Amino acid sequence: MLKSIRNSIQKKSLKERFFLVLGILFFLVYLVLGLFIIFMKEFPIEMDTKYRIVFGLLLIVYSFFRFIRLINSNN
């Protein structure tokens, strides 16, 4: 399975590989930002704890949504 994924990535053009890496990078950025918002004790913006958790979860769900679209477009 990993060999087939590696072969499909190698068949892509430089532009397609760049967008793949960029998509993975933004998946990680949204995921880490969501976790950061949820678990940060001293949040710089005045926000209730329940709203911070909801906002963080929304960012995490959005990151997985982007990741699923990235995987589907990779096939």
Side-chain angles (χ1 to χ4, degrees), residues 23 26 72:
F26 272 97
N72 287 340

Side-chain angles (χ1 to χ4, degrees), residues 8-63:
S8 70
I9 289 174
Q10 287 177 346
K11 289 179 185 176
K12 292 185 178 298
S13 69
L14 185 61
K15 179 178 157 185
E16 290 172 330
R17 280 185 269 172
F18 173 74
F19 285 134
L20 177 65
V21 170
L22 198 63
I24 293 171
L25 176 73
F26 272 97
F27 160 71
L28 291 174
V29 165
Y30 284 122
L31 180 67
V32 169
L33 185 63
L35 291 172
F36 184 71
I37 288 173
I38 290 173
F39 293 113
M40 186 176 179
K41 297 282 185 208
E42 297 292 325
F43 195 63
I45 300 172
E46 189 63 34
M47 195 184 277
D48 244 2
T49 306
K50 61 182 176 182
Y51 294 122
R52 265 195 7 228
I53 292 172
V54 169
F55 183 55
L57 286 175
L58 276 173
L59 283 172
I60 292 171
V61 167
Y62 179 67
S63 72

